[in-house]
Amino acid sequence: MKLLDRFRDPELCKALLGKLEKELEGELRFMEVCGTHTVAIFQSGLRSLLPEGIVHLSGPGCPVCVTHESEVNAFLDLAERDDVIVATFGDLMRVPGHGGRNLKAAQADGARVSVIYSPFDALKIARENPDSKVVFLGVGFETTAPTIAATMTMARNQGLSNFLVLPFHKTVPSALAALMDDTATRIDGFILPGHVSTVIGLDPYKYIATDYGRSAIITGFEPVDILQSLLDMVQWRNRGEAHVTNNYTRAVADKGNAKARQVLYDVFEPADALWRGIGLIPGSGLDIREEWADMDAKRVFGIEITEVPPLPGCKCGQVLKGILSPDQCPLFKKACTPANPVGPCMVSTEGSCAAYYKYKVD
Amino acid sequence: MSDKVLLDYGSGGRASQRLISRLFLENFSNSELNRLNDAAELLVSGRIAVSTDSFTVDPIFFPGGNIGSLAVHGTVNDVAMMGAVPRYMTCGYIIEEGLPMADLEKIVVSMGEAARKAGVDIVTGDTKVVPKGAVDRIFINTTGIGEIVVDPAPSGESAKPGDAILISGTMGDHGLTILGTREGLEFEAGVQSDSAGLNHLLVKLVRELPEVHVLRDPTRGGLATTMNEIAGSSNVCCELEEGAIPVRPEVSGGCSFLGLDPLYLANEGKFLCILPEAHAEKALEIMRGDELGRDACRIGTVTDANPGKVVLITRLGGKRLLNMLEGEQLPRIC
Ligand code: SF4
């Protein structure tokens, strides 16, 4: 049996589900932070098999979904400038801003927007368009930030003066504190993201157990990974314990990746950030350090992020906090569909509204 | 003839004559076409199935076939899915100036072969040559005509709760081959297009089992899209067993590498058959008796649980929707 097959083995899953059912006392409300987990839980059919007492909440771990309306407006304004070429991953193209604006529409109206597969591609565009400023939209978590930092370093080494980054990165651990502080969210435990954790490791999450008395487990993306983590959390709670552990040791080292963190923090420093639906979370973002100011699109273009009101009708905020499930949003499947998204949670392939739309059997 | 297709060849003059007689007539030869009249005179009776399709595939040559054989298979299969015996075809070629003559010849030769194998006469055709850049190398349009041999003809709106859902073989071979060739990827041996004419097998199937409710070929959009179309037009729920759907290991390997789902990839030599449970075994026997249905198997059941939806029972035994795709499936370039 190949390694991955073991983590998908139906018999093993059945056994774990049986145990979970047997040991579950009352309710366990768990949130998977990361959108890739949301999709994995649906795609494998796991969601329909979990015991009723296991309440499944999708969290704020889709980078597109947590990009604040104000940030969307800012990059849409930037795209309209004649001297700018916006370089972005494809998932931001259809994210709606106010008045139904999005990058796709801007592009059709003549804005120069390039969809790229790696930030390094943006350097090539910068080299080929010396008269324009090429701005990469830096959206993402700790997973993508090191690559972008490396791209900026490369741009400097190559003497490229027209490559910039618009820094809208967010960091995961502090957002979880904000969720637990909100009394409307009732979360017993977290399934922690696999990819982000490869960079940051276990330590930044430890406060979840020590300060909040909840459990959290770094978890892989296969059904056996997820079931094992749920079972661990149920058993700990039965014993009145809370822990933060790593169940994904085949990919994540407890210490994370020190090299990647160094690259990241050479260029970025912690800053306050606006999260869609959650608001301002102190220290949960990454700004570009003073030494790199010439590549910081916020400084170069004088972009101020001022808070704009949420999109009318969209319940993304409550969905991202696990207060509402996507199908409880009045617009779900009605005014809001993947072809016609009202909020980003319906746009991104990792968004919880899109996952519910795509996979959930009524 | 020159070694490249020139605009002259579409002029209607001598050059066109030469191209038609040396290439097309030689390879498509049949008594009706050879008369070279302005239109073909056909002998058809009863209820007729007609289908037309345009082929713009990129690349035009791929492991397992080319745009010429594909144009025959695609059209012949569409006609046969109506429970019809395909008899005649028309074909229109739109060629970009400069296409190597050797490529054109290869395409025409394999188109002629495919038509002969399917027992279909190409009775009329048209060739246009357009300036460089006006089309991408070559486009082919074909129309097929066949005589329907069962009453009622199988139709997408005829699936009934309790019916069995069968598939004639593995999913995704054609789609992955095309995408892979386009991206310049070399796959393990064994990944090639399944492009084939299914008409002989289909006609045998409906003649022996006129009870067949639905026949469909899961081409563009793959199994998932086709099943959703059927669930919608019959207003039933199609429940599929994920573990029963055959996919070659090489194809599922290639798909996971590119971030694609084989259930959304095109097939050009497979069909879906939905029919009353009582006839399912017999249908499978007929399908498996033919080289093109060797891997036929049952993949699900029609129910009335969630009308209009396709539900996938996963390997773990969980249920989820198998929805229509939003937009095109794009490979992940890693
Ligand atoms: S269904 Fe649409 S409008 Fe409602 S929360 Fe999700 S994205 Fe926002």
Side-chain angles (χ1 to χ4, degrees):
Chain A
M1 207 188 267
K2 277 189 259 162
L3 177 67
L4 266 190
D5 289 345
R6 209 170 76 75
F7 290 93
R8 291 174 188 158
D9 181 19
E11 290 310 312
L12 195 48
C13 287
K14 223 178 269 164
L16 285 167
L17 275 164
K19 261 195 183 159
L20 200 56
E21 183 107 43
K22 211 167 104 229
E23 304 214 11
L24 184 67
E25 293 166 14
E27 215 181 57
L28 180 94
R29 297 169 63 84
F30 83 97
M31 171 179 276
E32 84 278 355
V33 179
C34 160
T36 316
H37 274 129
T38 312
V39 171
I41 288 172
F42 271 110
Q43 218 168 26
S44 60
L46 195 57
R47 192 176 191 283
S48 64
L49 295 172
L50 289 174
E52 234 173 70
I54 300 272
V55 181
H56 165 219
L57 312 165
S58 295
C62 150
V64 176
C65 305
V66 296
T67 303
H68 197 270
E69 293 87 341
S70 321
E71 297 175 328
V72 175
N73 279 352
F75 70 63
L76 288 170
D77 288 346
L78 192 64
E80 278 165 16
R81 291 181 62 116
D82 288 340
D83 55 341
V84 164
I85 300 176
V86 163
T88 175
F89 295 139
D91 44 8
L92 287 179
M93 290 299 285
R94 292 171 56 235
V95 173
H98 275 266
R101 293 196 298 164
N102 64 30
L103 283 178
K104 241 191 145 91
Q107 194 181 34
D109 285 343
R112 292 186 293 166
V113 183
S114 274
V115 174
I116 55 177
Y117 291 98
S118 149
F120 297 113
D121 298 342
L123 295 186
K124 191 165 164 254
I125 301 174
R127 225 171 293 126
E128 286 164 2
N129 295 275
D131 298 333
S132 304
K133 291 193 162 58
V134 174
V135 182
F136 178 77
L137 303 183
V139 162
F141 296 119
E142 291 94 328
T143 341
T144 36
T147 320
I148 290 158
T151 313
M152 290 165 70
T153 314
M154 193 185 273
R156 179 164 286 179
N157 292 342
Q158 293 177 355
L160 265 180
S161 59
N162 63 334
F163 172 75
L164 296 94
V165 170
L166 185 61
F168 287 155
H169 283 94
K170 312 226 180 334
T171 52
V172 169
S174 32
L176 305 184
L179 288 180
M180 290 185 286
D181 287 335
D182 188 329
T183 48
T185 66
R186 291 176 296 121
I187 301 161
D188 299 314
F190 291 99
I191 298 280
L192 295 173
H195 302 139
V196 165
S197 306
T198 53
V199 176
I200 65 175
L202 199 56
D203 283 346
Y205 301 114
K206 289 230 164 112
Y207 78 94
I208 297 175
T210 51
D211 300 3
Y212 287 86
R214 323 271 172 93
S215 291
I217 308 184
I218 297 175
T219 304
F221 299 95
E222 301 301 331
V224 169
D225 291 317
I226 295 163
L227 284 168
Q228 185 61 56
S229 292
L230 290 177
L231 185 61
D232 287 352
M233 289 202 276
V234 165
Q235 289 173 333
W236 293 335
R237 207 198 30 194
N238 290 351
R239 297 203 296 265
E241 298 166 6
H243 298 284
V244 173
T245 60
N246 177 9
N247 271 0
Y248 194 31
T249 48
R250 65 181 190 277
V252 176
D254 286 358
K255 295 246 159 290
N257 182 339
K259 179 107 206 296
R261 283 199 301 272
Q262 198 197 332
V263 175
L264 194 171
Y265 287 107
D266 275 349
V267 173
F268 294 104
E269 62 188 358
D272 297 349
L274 275 174
W275 292 60
R276 183 183 294 259
I278 302 175
L280 188 98
I281 306 179
S284 69
L286 293 170
D287 264 348
I288 293 173
R289 286 180 190 278
E290 182 70 48
E291 304 91 282
W292 297 81
D294 57 325
M295 281 193 211
D296 181 352
K298 269 192 206 165
R299 287 187 176 96
V300 170
F301 294 102
I303 296 172
E304 292 275 344
I305 300 300
T306 42
E307 201 159 338
V308 298
L311 298 169
C314 177
K315 299 274 185 246
C316 283
Q318 275 110 309
V319 169
L320 290 168
K321 286 196 273 191
I323 297 170
L324 282 187
S325 77
D327 46 359
Q328 288 170 319
C329 168
L331 304 188
F332 181 74
K333 272 197 192 171
K334 297 189 182 89
C336 184
T337 62
N340 222 335
V342 175
C345 304
M346 192 57 99
V347 180
S348 166
T349 44
E350 296 201 343
S352 41
C353 298
Y356 269 63
Y357 185 94
K358 194 163 170 210
Y359 298 119
K360 188 167 177 279
V361 183
D362 291 322
Chain B
M1 285 192 291
S2 129
D3 61 351
K4 290 223 162 97
V5 177
L6 310 175
L7 277 173
D8 293 355
Y9 291 127
S11 64
R14 271 223 180 104
S16 315
Q17 297 288 319
R18 267 201 304 276
L19 183 75
I20 290 168
S21 63
R22 292 216 193 129
L23 194 57
F24 290 96
L25 281 181
E26 222 163 76
N27 284 288
F28 298 168
S29 172
N30 59 66
S31 55
E32 191 48 45
L33 181 71
N34 297 349
R35 289 165 72 190
L36 288 178
N37 282 334
D38 284 351
E41 180 184 344
L42 307 181
L43 188 66
V44 271
S45 63
R47 288 174 310 134
I48 309 294
V50 181
S51 178
T52 190
D53 210 343
S54 299
F55 297 83
T56 59
V57 61
D58 169 30
I60 53 177
F61 296 100
F62 46 84
N66 65 50
I67 191 170
S69 51
L70 184 69
V72 172
H73 296 149
T75 293
V76 157
N77 290 349
D78 282 348
V79 169
M81 296 298 157
M82 293 294 293
V85 181
R87 296 241 186 260
Y88 303 110
M89 267 180 66
T90 70
C91 77
Y93 273 65
I94 299 180
I95 308 167
E96 183 184 24
E97 164 195 24
L99 181 80
M101 194 53 85
D103 284 358
L104 179 61
E105 187 165 351
K106 250 199 205 149
I107 291 165
V108 174
V109 167
S110 72
M111 187 164 194
E113 269 168 20
R116 272 189 298 283
K117 217 168 155 194
V120 176
D121 286 343
I122 299 174
V123 288
T124 181
D126 175 52
T127 311
K128 293 280 183 315
V129 180
V130 295
K132 209 161 187 56
V135 292
D136 184 11
R137 285 160 300 159
I138 182 166
F139 293 170
I140 302 177
N141 171 270
T142 48
T143 297
I145 298 172
E147 290 167 344
I148 299 177
V149 294
V150 277
D151 191 16
S155 161
E157 60 207 16
S158 305
K160 304 266 178 308
D163 282 358
I165 305 172
L166 317 178
I167 191 94
S168 68
T170 53
M171 292 291 98
D173 301 62
H174 177 77
L176 184 69
T177 306
I178 295 296
L179 278 174
T181 316
R182 206 182 294 163
E183 302 299 334
L185 301 170
E186 296 243 345
F187 293 119
E188 287 171 55
V191 180
Q192 63 163 31
S193 168
D194 58 351
S195 177
L198 297 164
N199 56 312
H200 299 303
L201 170 55
L202 284 164
V203 169
K204 184 170 187 315
L205 184 71
V206 293
R207 283 213 157 113
E208 288 194 39
L209 286 173
E211 296 86 355
V212 166
H213 286 158
V214 183
L215 289 174
R216 267 292 169 87
D217 53 348
T219 50
R220 218 165 23 155
L223 178 68
T225 306
T226 310
M227 288 304 325
N228 271 285
E229 284 165 6
I230 296 169
S233 26
S234 295
N235 200 31
V236 292
C237 174
C238 296
E239 270 192 22
L240 304 182
E241 293 268 354
E242 187 177 25
I245 302 170
V247 179
R248 266 180 229 290
E250 309 88 275
V251 170
S252 68
C255 279
S256 70
F257 173 69
L258 289 171
L260 302 169
D261 183 341
L263 304 190
Y264 290 93
L265 287 179
N267 308 279
E268 289 293 345
K270 302 291 160 48
F271 66 94
L272 269 159
C273 169
I274 300 181
L275 81 179
E277 176 76 58
H279 303 290
E281 269 316 308
K282 176 77 188 159
L284 283 174
E285 199 186 301
I286 297 169
M287 285 153 86
R288 288 177 188 148
D290 189 293
E291 178 63 14
L292 295 174
R294 202 180 43 215
D295 301 321
C297 60
R298 177 174 183 159
I299 56 167
T301 307
V302 178
T303 73
D304 50 13
N306 294 282
K309 303 242 160 91
V310 181
V311 172
L312 194 70
I313 301 168
T314 66
R315 286 191 173 79
L316 299 187
K319 285 189 178 184
R320 68 157 167 100
L321 285 185
L322 185 65
N323 230 319
M324 284 238 193
L325 201 65
E326 193 62 54
E328 209 190 334
Q329 221 189 172
L330 292 173
R332 173 181 61 214
I333 317 285
C334 26

